[in-house]
Amino acid sequence: MPIEPLDVKQLWTLVATVRERAPLVHNITNFVVMNNTANVLLALGASPAMVHSLDEVEDFVAMSQALVVNIGTLDSQQIAASKLAAMRAGTAGIPWILDPVGAGATPYRLAAARALTRLGPSVIRGNGSEILTLAQHAGQGRGVDSTQGSETALGAARLLAIDTGSVVAVTGAVDYVTDGARVVAIENGHPLMTRVTGLGCSATAVIGALLAVTPDAFTATTAALAVFGVAGELAAAQARGPGSLQVALLDVLYELTHSDFAQRLKLEKS
């Protein structure tokens, strides 16, 4: 399968557009990562909203430029709210992204993830185990951690993209983005990022922010994972450990320049 080259300037333009427009990104996300996610979006230049109530999600998503649905700490109320928001996003033409956290951990979680997948997300982002599970392969999830590498799940990601019509991102040591036909591999990031809970969820929110400024979900997803990976590398170079990495990551996202991005970016081509 060919690796699709993309123009670095094209990717950075989307980041600059987020900074210029400050799009409103509606997040129905998990309680563990809510604060981090909001701060990552603010540092990037977007405007985050954490709106979960069944009584207002439909109205709020209609005012937003993108929707992020993350099932990390799911319950029946949150799943109901997520379904309402996703359906309203679909009728209103609002792009949305699904993060099926721990999809294979329990039958309840798997059923919720699959039900949301059927509502037509623009993008699905998960680790190797989550993507393998959604694609009905034999991957085994362990809570929210992945026991399968991103490369192992690439074939499943492609099949899932074909089946759903969504762009699928499978993240890990190498991040892959596919629409079923095209594939981009992003080799940025740092191992220290795995020692901070919820950075995958933050990456999902960054994808949501870039979806808010372009109808091209494939390019938005690639740009988001690229900028997040580059920022993670630069932050890790400053950090003494996981705690300082979190702070440095926010600062780097806020200060990141086109030059730093272009010099660090590693897109695999073949």
Side-chain angles (χ1 to χ4, degrees):
M1 191 174 3
I3 302 295
E4 189 77 12
L6 289 174
D7 184 345
V8 175
K9 183 178 179 181
Q10 178 188 13
L11 301 180
W12 181 256
T13 295
L14 295 182
V15 179
T17 304
V18 169
R19 290 175 170 177
E20 177 186 345
R21 296 185 187 174
L24 179 60
V25 182
H26 178 181
N27 296 264
I28 303 176
T29 191
N30 75 75
F31 301 132
V32 175
V33 305
M34 201 175 300
N35 180 265
N36 287 355
T37 297
N39 283 324
V40 162
L41 286 171
L42 283 169
L44 185 70
S47 178
M50 279 43 194
V51 177
H52 289 219
S53 172
L54 277 165
D55 299 318
E56 65 173 346
V57 289
E58 290 178 281
D59 292 332
F60 204 92
V61 75
M63 298 188 301
S64 305
Q65 282 75 62
L67 169 68
V68 176
V69 174
N70 176 307
I71 66 168
T73 52
L74 82 170
D75 57 36
S76 56
Q77 289 273 333
Q78 186 197 31
I79 291 302
S82 297
K83 290 177 180 177
L84 285 176
M87 288 187 286
R88 183 61 182 272
T91 58
I94 307 296
W96 71 283
I97 177 168
L98 172 64
D99 191 333
V101 180
T106 66
Y108 175 67
R109 187 171 291 270
L110 178 57
R114 286 183 171 159
L116 287 163
T117 299
R118 290 193 292 270
L119 295 178
S122 309
V123 179
I124 301 168
R125 191 225 55 97
N127 62 37
S129 293
E130 291 157 357
I131 296 303
L132 282 162
T133 298
L134 283 184
Q136 297 183 329
H137 281 239
Q140 295 296 316
R142 187 189 67 200
V144 300
D145 297 326
S146 179
T147 59
Q148 300 290 339
S150 54
E151 185 174 356
T152 302
L154 178 56
R158 182 173 178 268
L159 291 173
L160 184 62
I162 293 169
D163 184 54
T164 61
S166 306
V167 169
V168 175
V170 53
T171 54
V174 178
D175 298 334
Y176 295 97
V177 180
T178 183
D179 60 4
R182 298 174 291 172
V183 176
V184 168
I186 304 153
E187 296 186 356
N188 294 101
H190 191 278
L192 188 58
M193 297 173 76
T194 65
R195 310 304 295 177
V196 179
T197 189
L199 286 193
C201 302
S202 295
T204 298
V206 172
I207 296 171
L210 271 70
L211 281 175
V213 299
T214 178
D216 184 348
F218 183 83
T219 303
T221 303
T222 302
L225 293 178
V227 76
F228 198 73
V230 167
E233 285 182 8
L234 291 169
Q238 304 173 23
R240 292 179 290 110
S244 52
L245 176 69
Q246 296 180 75
V247 176
L249 181 60
L250 295 178
D251 290 343
V252 171
L253 283 170
Y254 181 74
E255 297 173 345
L256 190 66
T257 66
H258 175 257
S259 176
D260 289 336
F261 179 67
Q263 289 175 15
R264 286 268 183 172
L265 181 62
K266 294 187 284 289
L267 289 180
E268 183 182 315
K269 307 177 182 70
S270 67

mmCIF file of all heavy atoms in Angstrom, residues 118-166:
data_model
loop_
_atom_site.group_PDB
_atom_site.id
_atom_site.type_symbol
_atom_site.label_atom_id
_atom_site.label_comp_id
_atom_site.label_asym_id
_atom_site.label_seq_id
_atom_site.Cartn_x
_atom_site.Cartn_y
_atom_site.Cartn_z
ATOM 1 N N ARG A 118 -21.405 3.609 14.048
ATOM 2 C CA ARG A 118 -22.460 3.548 13.023
ATOM 3 C C ARG A 118 -23.117 4.907 12.766
ATOM 4 O O ARG A 118 -23.885 5.037 11.809
ATOM 5 C CB ARG A 118 -23.521 2.522 13.438
ATOM 6 C CG ARG A 118 -23.026 1.074 13.360
ATOM 7 C CD ARG A 118 -24.172 0.083 13.472
ATOM 8 N NE ARG A 118 -24.772 0.082 14.796
ATOM 9 C CZ ARG A 118 -24.387 -0.700 15.798
ATOM 10 N NH1 ARG A 118 -23.376 -1.542 15.629
ATOM 11 N NH2 ARG A 118 -25.000 -0.668 16.961
ATOM 12 N N LEU A 119 -22.817 5.913 13.583
ATOM 13 C CA LEU A 119 -23.419 7.239 13.400
ATOM 14 C C LEU A 119 -22.600 8.141 12.482
ATOM 15 O O LEU A 119 -22.902 9.321 12.346
ATOM 16 C CB LEU A 119 -23.636 7.901 14.763
ATOM 17 C CG LEU A 119 -24.650 7.196 15.673
ATOM 18 C CD1 LEU A 119 -24.749 7.903 17.015
ATOM 19 C CD2 LEU A 119 -26.025 7.121 14.999
ATOM 20 N N GLY A 120 -21.564 7.594 11.870
ATOM 21 C CA GLY A 120 -20.866 8.318 10.817
ATOM 22 C C GLY A 120 -19.851 9.354 11.251
ATOM 23 O O GLY A 120 -19.868 10.484 10.743
ATOM 24 N N PRO A 121 -18.916 9.012 12.151
ATOM 25 C CA PRO A 121 -17.875 9.985 12.497
ATOM 26 C C PRO A 121 -17.003 10.321 11.295
ATOM 27 O O PRO A 121 -16.760 9.479 10.423
ATOM 28 C CB PRO A 121 -17.056 9.257 13.571
ATOM 29 C CG PRO A 121 -17.302 7.804 13.332
ATOM 30 C CD PRO A 121 -18.710 7.710 12.827
ATOM 31 N N SER A 122 -16.547 11.558 11.260
ATOM 32 C CA SER A 122 -15.604 11.959 10.211
ATOM 33 C C SER A 122 -14.283 11.231 10.382
ATOM 34 O O SER A 122 -13.619 10.872 9.401
ATOM 35 C CB SER A 122 -15.361 13.470 10.266
ATOM 36 O OG SER A 122 -16.562 14.195 10.272
ATOM 37 N N VAL A 123 -13.888 11.044 11.643
ATOM 38 C CA VAL A 123 -12.610 10.408 11.980
ATOM 39 C C VAL A 123 -12.814 9.488 13.175
ATOM 40 O O VAL A 123 -13.595 9.785 14.081
ATOM 41 C CB VAL A 123 -11.538 11.469 12.335
ATOM 42 C CG1 VAL A 123 -10.207 10.802 12.711
ATOM 43 C CG2 VAL A 123 -11.327 12.450 11.191
ATOM 44 N N ILE A 124 -12.112 8.369 13.168
ATOM 45 C CA ILE A 124 -12.002 7.483 14.330
ATOM 46 C C ILE A 124 -10.522 7.410 14.683
ATOM 47 O O ILE A 124 -9.691 7.107 13.823
ATOM 48 C CB ILE A 124 -12.532 6.072 14.027
ATOM 49 C CG1 ILE A 124 -13.999 6.120 13.604
ATOM 50 C CG2 ILE A 124 -12.347 5.154 15.233
ATOM 51 C CD1 ILE A 124 -14.509 4.811 13.005
ATOM 52 N N ARG A 125 -10.177 7.721 15.944
ATOM 53 C CA ARG A 125 -8.780 7.622 16.378
ATOM 54 C C ARG A 125 -8.664 6.679 17.562
ATOM 55 O O ARG A 125 -9.364 6.809 18.555
ATOM 56 C CB ARG A 125 -8.208 8.972 16.803
ATOM 57 C CG ARG A 125 -6.674 8.874 16.982
ATOM 58 C CD ARG A 125 -6.117 9.520 18.237
ATOM 59 N NE ARG A 125 -6.660 9.115 19.499
ATOM 60 C CZ ARG A 125 -6.141 8.195 20.331
ATOM 61 N NH1 ARG A 125 -5.069 7.495 19.973
ATOM 62 N NH2 ARG A 125 -6.691 7.930 21.504
ATOM 63 N N GLY A 126 -7.790 5.688 17.440
ATOM 64 C CA GLY A 126 -7.594 4.764 18.536
ATOM 65 C C GLY A 126 -6.209 4.172 18.520
ATOM 66 O O GLY A 126 -5.441 4.362 17.573
ATOM 67 N N ASN A 127 -5.880 3.444 19.592
ATOM 68 C CA ASN A 127 -4.630 2.699 19.578
ATOM 69 C C ASN A 127 -4.832 1.388 18.820
ATOM 70 O O ASN A 127 -5.930 1.094 18.321
ATOM 71 C CB ASN A 127 -4.102 2.488 21.004
ATOM 72 C CG ASN A 127 -5.046 1.669 21.875
ATOM 73 O OD1 ASN A 127 -5.686 0.723 21.411
ATOM 74 N ND2 ASN A 127 -5.131 2.007 23.160
ATOM 75 N N GLY A 128 -3.766 0.602 18.736
ATOM 76 C CA GLY A 128 -3.846 -0.604 17.927
ATOM 77 C C GLY A 128 -4.935 -1.558 18.359
ATOM 78 O O GLY A 128 -5.699 -2.083 17.534
ATOM 79 N N SER A 129 -5.050 -1.811 19.654
ATOM 80 C CA SER A 129 -6.061 -2.742 20.154
ATOM 81 C C SER A 129 -7.473 -2.253 19.880
ATOM 82 O O SER A 129 -8.358 -3.035 19.506
ATOM 83 C CB SER A 129 -5.874 -2.959 21.663
ATOM 84 O OG SER A 129 -4.673 -3.639 21.931
ATOM 85 N N GLU A 130 -7.694 -0.959 20.079
ATOM 86 C CA GLU A 130 -9.033 -0.392 19.862
ATOM 87 C C GLU A 130 -9.452 -0.497 18.405
ATOM 88 O O GLU A 130 -10.605 -0.857 18.093
ATOM 89 C CB GLU A 130 -9.045 1.065 20.335
ATOM 90 C CG GLU A 130 -8.934 1.197 21.841
ATOM 91 C CD GLU A 130 -8.394 2.526 22.318
ATOM 92 O OE1 GLU A 130 -8.030 3.379 21.463
ATOM 93 O OE2 GLU A 130 -8.331 2.735 23.554
ATOM 94 N N ILE A 131 -8.529 -0.200 17.498
ATOM 95 C CA ILE A 131 -8.861 -0.260 16.076
ATOM 96 C C ILE A 131 -9.066 -1.708 15.629
ATOM 97 O O ILE A 131 -10.004 -2.020 14.872
ATOM 98 C CB ILE A 131 -7.770 0.430 15.243
ATOM 99 C CG1 ILE A 131 -7.704 1.926 15.592
ATOM 100 C CG2 ILE A 131 -8.033 0.244 13.742
ATOM 101 C CD1 ILE A 131 -9.002 2.690 15.421
ATOM 102 N N LEU A 132 -8.227 -2.598 16.103
ATOM 103 C CA LEU A 132 -8.421 -4.016 15.780
ATOM 104 C C LEU A 132 -9.773 -4.510 16.279
ATOM 105 O O LEU A 132 -10.468 -5.260 15.586
ATOM 106 C CB LEU A 132 -7.304 -4.855 16.408
ATOM 107 C CG LEU A 132 -5.961 -4.837 15.677
ATOM 108 C CD1 LEU A 132 -4.843 -5.305 16.594
ATOM 109 C CD2 LEU A 132 -6.024 -5.710 14.423
ATOM 110 N N THR A 133 -10.162 -4.106 17.469
ATOM 111 C CA THR A 133 -11.446 -4.530 18.033
ATOM 112 C C THR A 133 -12.610 -3.997 17.210
ATOM 113 O O THR A 133 -13.542 -4.739 16.878
ATOM 114 C CB THR A 133 -11.563 -4.052 19.490
ATOM 115 O OG1 THR A 133 -10.526 -4.646 20.264
ATOM 116 C CG2 THR A 133 -12.911 -4.436 20.085
ATOM 117 N N LEU A 134 -12.572 -2.721 16.883
ATOM 118 C CA LEU A 134 -13.665 -2.147 16.091
ATOM 119 C C LEU A 134 -13.752 -2.781 14.705
ATOM 120 O O LEU A 134 -14.830 -2.886 14.130
ATOM 121 C CB LEU A 134 -13.505 -0.634 15.956
ATOM 122 C CG LEU A 134 -13.894 0.202 17.169
ATOM 123 C CD1 LEU A 134 -13.762 1.682 16.850
ATOM 124 C CD2 LEU A 134 -15.316 -0.101 17.623
ATOM 125 N N ALA A 135 -12.613 -3.174 14.178
ATOM 126 C CA ALA A 135 -12.601 -3.821 12.863
ATOM 127 C C ALA A 135 -12.890 -5.316 12.959
ATOM 128 O O ALA A 135 -12.792 -6.035 11.969
ATOM 129 C CB ALA A 135 -11.255 -3.584 12.185
ATOM 130 N N GLN A 136 -13.220 -5.784 14.168
ATOM 131 C CA GLN A 136 -13.601 -7.178 14.430
ATOM 132 C C GLN A 136 -12.463 -8.143 14.153
ATOM 133 O O GLN A 136 -12.673 -9.256 13.682
ATOM 134 C CB GLN A 136 -14.846 -7.566 13.630
ATOM 135 C CG GLN A 136 -16.068 -6.754 14.022
ATOM 136 C CD GLN A 136 -17.308 -7.200 13.283
ATOM 137 O OE1 GLN A 136 -17.244 -7.655 12.147
ATOM 138 N NE2 GLN A 136 -18.444 -7.068 13.925
ATOM 139 N N HIS A 137 -11.247 -7.702 14.474
ATOM 140 C CA HIS A 137 -10.099 -8.592 14.423
ATOM 141 C C HIS A 137 -9.860 -9.152 15.821
ATOM 142 O O HIS A 137 -10.568 -8.829 16.765
ATOM 143 C CB HIS A 137 -8.869 -7.845 13.894
ATOM 144 C CG HIS A 137 -8.898 -7.703 12.407
ATOM 145 N ND1 HIS A 137 -7.911 -8.193 11.592
ATOM 146 C CD2 HIS A 137 -9.803 -7.130 11.578
ATOM 147 C CE1 HIS A 137 -8.209 -7.927 10.330
ATOM 148 N NE2 HIS A 137 -9.344 -7.283 10.297
ATOM 149 N N ALA A 138 -8.833 -9.922 15.970
ATOM 150 C CA ALA A 138 -8.613 -10.645 17.222
ATOM 151 C C ALA A 138 -7.727 -9.883 18.202
ATOM 152 O O ALA A 138 -7.066 -10.485 19.033
ATOM 153 C CB ALA A 138 -7.994 -12.011 16.919
ATOM 154 N N GLY A 139 -7.699 -8.580 18.134
ATOM 155 C CA GLY A 139 -6.914 -7.806 19.089
ATOM 156 C C GLY A 139 -7.517 -7.892 20.476
ATOM 157 O O GLY A 139 -8.723 -8.003 20.642
ATOM 158 N N GLN A 140 -6.667 -7.822 21.492
ATOM 159 C CA GLN A 140 -7.124 -7.872 22.876
ATOM 160 C C GLN A 140 -6.786 -6.553 23.549
ATOM 161 O O GLN A 140 -5.633 -6.138 23.563
ATOM 162 C CB GLN A 140 -6.442 -9.019 23.633
ATOM 163 C CG GLN A 140 -6.822 -10.388 23.097
ATOM 164 C CD GLN A 140 -8.303 -10.683 23.271
ATOM 165 O OE1 GLN A 140 -8.869 -10.429 24.321
ATOM 166 N NE2 GLN A 140 -8.922 -11.224 22.242
ATOM 167 N N GLY A 141 -7.782 -5.878 24.102
ATOM 168 C CA GLY A 141 -7.543 -4.643 24.830
ATOM 169 C C GLY A 141 -7.268 -4.932 26.296
ATOM 170 O O GLY A 141 -7.715 -5.927 26.842
ATOM 171 N N ARG A 142 -6.524 -4.039 26.936
ATOM 172 C CA ARG A 142 -6.269 -4.149 28.370
ATOM 173 C C ARG A 142 -6.573 -2.786 28.969
ATOM 174 O O ARG A 142 -5.745 -1.894 28.974
ATOM 175 C CB ARG A 142 -4.807 -4.514 28.628
ATOM 176 C CG ARG A 142 -4.494 -4.810 30.096
ATOM 177 C CD ARG A 142 -2.999 -4.938 30.310
ATOM 178 N NE ARG A 142 -2.325 -3.664 30.092
ATOM 179 C CZ ARG A 142 -1.030 -3.544 29.837
ATOM 180 N NH1 ARG A 142 -0.286 -4.614 29.711
ATOM 181 N NH2 ARG A 142 -0.484 -2.352 29.681
ATOM 182 N N GLY A 143 -7.820 -2.619 29.425
ATOM 183 C CA GLY A 143 -8.223 -1.300 29.884
ATOM 184 C C GLY A 143 -8.137 -0.318 28.732
ATOM 185 O O GLY A 143 -8.626 -0.582 27.643
ATOM 186 N N VAL A 144 -7.460 0.818 28.980
ATOM 187 C CA VAL A 144 -7.306 1.795 27.903
ATOM 188 C C VAL A 144 -5.949 1.668 27.219
ATOM 189 O O VAL A 144 -5.636 2.433 26.317
ATOM 190 C CB VAL A 144 -7.482 3.236 28.428
ATOM 191 C CG1 VAL A 144 -8.849 3.406 29.032
ATOM 192 C CG2 VAL A 144 -6.398 3.588 29.445
ATOM 193 N N ASP A 145 -5.118 0.709 27.651
ATOM 194 C CA ASP A 145 -3.804 0.536 27.052
ATOM 195 C C ASP A 145 -3.897 -0.365 25.828
ATOM 196 O O ASP A 145 -4.792 -1.187 25.699
ATOM 197 C CB ASP A 145 -2.826 -0.093 28.056
ATOM 198 C CG ASP A 145 -2.599 0.790 29.268
ATOM 199 O OD1 ASP A 145 -2.617 2.020 29.085
ATOM 200 O OD2 ASP A 145 -2.427 0.251 30.376
ATOM 201 N N SER A 146 -2.907 -0.207 24.944
ATOM 202 C CA SER A 146 -2.869 -1.043 23.761
ATOM 203 C C SER A 146 -1.906 -2.200 23.961
ATOM 204 O O SER A 146 -0.792 -2.018 24.432
ATOM 205 C CB SER A 146 -2.423 -0.231 22.552
ATOM 206 O OG SER A 146 -2.369 -1.038 21.397
ATOM 207 N N THR A 147 -2.339 -3.407 23.613
ATOM 208 C CA THR A 147 -1.439 -4.550 23.600
ATOM 209 C C THR A 147 -1.007 -4.874 22.177
ATOM 210 O O THR A 147 -0.301 -5.846 21.948
ATOM 211 C CB THR A 147 -2.120 -5.782 24.223
ATOM 212 O OG1 THR A 147 -3.297 -6.090 23.473
ATOM 213 C CG2 THR A 147 -2.486 -5.518 25.674
ATOM 214 N N GLN A 148 -1.449 -4.074 21.216
ATOM 215 C CA GLN A 148 -1.093 -4.267 19.817
ATOM 216 C C GLN A 148 -0.481 -2.975 19.282
ATOM 217 O O GLN A 148 -0.980 -1.885 19.534
ATOM 218 C CB GLN A 148 -2.331 -4.621 18.987
ATOM 219 C CG GLN A 148 -3.040 -5.892 19.422
ATOM 220 C CD GLN A 148 -2.239 -7.136 19.103
ATOM 221 O OE1 GLN A 148 -1.365 -7.120 18.235
ATOM 222 N NE2 GLN A 148 -2.520 -8.215 19.805
ATOM 223 N N GLY A 149 0.603 -3.092 18.524
ATOM 224 C CA GLY A 149 1.245 -1.925 17.955
ATOM 225 C C GLY A 149 0.428 -1.333 16.824
ATOM 226 O O GLY A 149 -0.441 -1.992 16.237
ATOM 227 N N SER A 150 0.735 -0.077 16.503
ATOM 228 C CA SER A 150 -0.019 0.602 15.450
ATOM 229 C C SER A 150 0.184 -0.066 14.095
ATOM 230 O O SER A 150 -0.756 -0.175 13.297
ATOM 231 C CB SER A 150 0.383 2.079 15.391
ATOM 232 O OG SER A 150 1.788 2.220 15.252
ATOM 233 N N GLU A 151 1.400 -0.563 13.825
ATOM 234 C CA GLU A 151 1.658 -1.204 12.540
ATOM 235 C C GLU A 151 0.828 -2.472 12.390
ATOM 236 O O GLU A 151 0.313 -2.780 11.309
ATOM 237 C CB GLU A 151 3.149 -1.506 12.391
ATOM 238 C CG GLU A 151 3.514 -2.057 11.022
ATOM 239 C CD GLU A 151 5.012 -2.217 10.848
ATOM 240 O OE1 GLU A 151 5.767 -1.828 11.765
ATOM 241 O OE2 GLU A 151 5.422 -2.729 9.789
ATOM 242 N N THR A 152 0.687 -3.219 13.487
ATOM 243 C CA THR A 152 -0.123 -4.443 13.463
ATOM 244 C C THR A 152 -1.561 -4.148 13.080
ATOM 245 O O THR A 152 -2.230 -4.964 12.425
ATOM 246 C CB THR A 152 -0.091 -5.111 14.856
ATOM 247 O OG1 THR A 152 1.262 -5.381 15.203
ATOM 248 C CG2 THR A 152 -0.887 -6.403 14.873
ATOM 249 N N ALA A 153 -2.046 -2.974 13.468
ATOM 250 C CA ALA A 153 -3.446 -2.616 13.233
ATOM 251 C C ALA A 153 -3.679 -1.855 11.938
ATOM 252 O O ALA A 153 -4.819 -1.469 11.654
ATOM 253 C CB ALA A 153 -3.963 -1.785 14.404
ATOM 254 N N LEU A 154 -2.636 -1.628 11.143
ATOM 255 C CA LEU A 154 -2.810 -0.804 9.943
ATOM 256 C C LEU A 154 -3.800 -1.420 8.962
ATOM 257 O O LEU A 154 -4.660 -0.731 8.405
ATOM 258 C CB LEU A 154 -1.454 -0.571 9.269
ATOM 259 C CG LEU A 154 -1.485 0.246 7.972
ATOM 260 C CD1 LEU A 154 -2.152 1.599 8.181
ATOM 261 C CD2 LEU A 154 -0.064 0.429 7.425
ATOM 262 N N GLY A 155 -3.703 -2.727 8.732
ATOM 263 C CA GLY A 155 -4.650 -3.379 7.831
ATOM 264 C C GLY A 155 -6.076 -3.264 8.328
ATOM 265 O O GLY A 155 -7.000 -2.999 7.558
ATOM 266 N N ALA A 156 -6.256 -3.438 9.653
ATOM 267 C CA ALA A 156 -7.585 -3.295 10.243
ATOM 268 C C ALA A 156 -8.089 -1.866 10.106
ATOM 269 O O ALA A 156 -9.276 -1.630 9.862
ATOM 270 C CB ALA A 156 -7.550 -3.702 11.713
ATOM 271 N N ALA A 157 -7.197 -0.893 10.270
ATOM 272 C CA ALA A 157 -7.590 0.506 10.120
ATOM 273 C C ALA A 157 -8.090 0.785 8.712
ATOM 274 O O ALA A 157 -9.092 1.485 8.524
ATOM 275 C CB ALA A 157 -6.399 1.414 10.453
ATOM 276 N N ARG A 158 -7.412 0.229 7.749
ATOM 277 C CA ARG A 158 -7.836 0.426 6.354
ATOM 278 C C ARG A 158 -9.213 -0.191 6.108
ATOM 279 O O ARG A 158 -10.091 0.425 5.497
ATOM 280 C CB ARG A 158 -6.802 -0.182 5.410
ATOM 281 C CG ARG A 158 -7.127 0.002 3.937
ATOM 282 C CD ARG A 158 -5.964 -0.473 3.066
ATOM 283 N NE ARG A 158 -6.311 -0.346 1.666
ATOM 284 C CZ ARG A 158 -6.869 -1.311 0.940
ATOM 285 N NH1 ARG A 158 -7.163 -2.475 1.507
ATOM 286 N NH2 ARG A 158 -7.158 -1.121 -0.332
ATOM 287 N N LEU A 159 -9.433 -1.403 6.619
ATOM 288 C CA LEU A 159 -10.732 -2.051 6.463
ATOM 289 C C LEU A 159 -11.832 -1.275 7.183
ATOM 290 O O LEU A 159 -12.946 -1.143 6.666
ATOM 291 C CB LEU A 159 -10.659 -3.480 6.995
ATOM 292 C CG LEU A 159 -9.800 -4.465 6.198
ATOM 293 C CD1 LEU A 159 -9.689 -5.787 6.944
ATOM 294 C CD2 LEU A 159 -10.360 -4.666 4.798
ATOM 295 N N LEU A 160 -11.519 -0.767 8.368
ATOM 296 C CA LEU A 160 -12.501 0.009 9.117
ATOM 297 C C LEU A 160 -12.855 1.289 8.377
ATOM 298 O O LEU A 160 -14.024 1.699 8.343
ATOM 299 C CB LEU A 160 -11.947 0.329 10.510
ATOM 300 C CG LEU A 160 -12.884 1.058 11.471
ATOM 301 C CD1 LEU A 160 -14.129 0.221 11.784
ATOM 302 C CD2 LEU A 160 -12.136 1.397 12.778
ATOM 303 N N ALA A 161 -11.868 1.924 7.766
ATOM 304 C CA ALA A 161 -12.134 3.134 6.988
ATOM 305 C C ALA A 161 -13.036 2.836 5.797
ATOM 306 O O ALA A 161 -13.977 3.592 5.512
ATOM 307 C CB ALA A 161 -10.815 3.744 6.514
ATOM 308 N N ILE A 162 -12.788 1.747 5.126
ATOM 309 C CA ILE A 162 -13.627 1.364 3.979
ATOM 310 C C ILE A 162 -15.047 1.060 4.435
ATOM 311 O O ILE A 162 -16.022 1.471 3.801
ATOM 312 C CB ILE A 162 -13.007 0.148 3.249
ATOM 313 C CG1 ILE A 162 -11.679 0.548 2.583
ATOM 314 C CG2 ILE A 162 -13.977 -0.418 2.217
ATOM 315 C CD1 ILE A 162 -10.872 -0.631 2.080
ATOM 316 N N ASP A 163 -15.163 0.358 5.560
ATOM 317 C CA ASP A 163 -16.476 -0.052 6.056
ATOM 318 C C ASP A 163 -17.311 1.122 6.545
ATOM 319 O O ASP A 163 -18.531 1.145 6.345
ATOM 320 C CB ASP A 163 -16.288 -1.058 7.190
ATOM 321 C CG ASP A 163 -17.606 -1.607 7.700
ATOM 322 O OD1 ASP A 163 -18.393 -2.113 6.882
ATOM 323 O OD2 ASP A 163 -17.847 -1.515 8.917
ATOM 324 N N THR A 164 -16.670 2.093 7.179
ATOM 325 C CA THR A 164 -17.417 3.189 7.813
ATOM 326 C C THR A 164 -17.463 4.468 6.990
ATOM 327 O O THR A 164 -18.310 5.332 7.231
ATOM 328 C CB THR A 164 -16.788 3.542 9.177
ATOM 329 O OG1 THR A 164 -15.428 3.974 8.975
ATOM 330 C CG2 THR A 164 -16.816 2.350 10.118
ATOM 331 N N GLY A 165 -16.531 4.626 6.061
ATOM 332 C CA GLY A 165 -16.418 5.895 5.342
ATOM 333 C C GLY A 165 -15.708 6.963 6.154
ATOM 334 O O GLY A 165 -15.632 8.120 5.733
ATOM 335 N N SER A 166 -15.168 6.592 7.301
ATOM 336 C CA SER A 166 -14.430 7.518 8.160
ATOM 337 C C SER A 166 -12.938 7.454 7.843
ATOM 338 O O SER A 166 -12.432 6.425 7.396
ATOM 339 C CB SER A 166 -14.618 7.150 9.639
ATOM 340 O OG SER A 166 -15.980 7.064 9.992
#
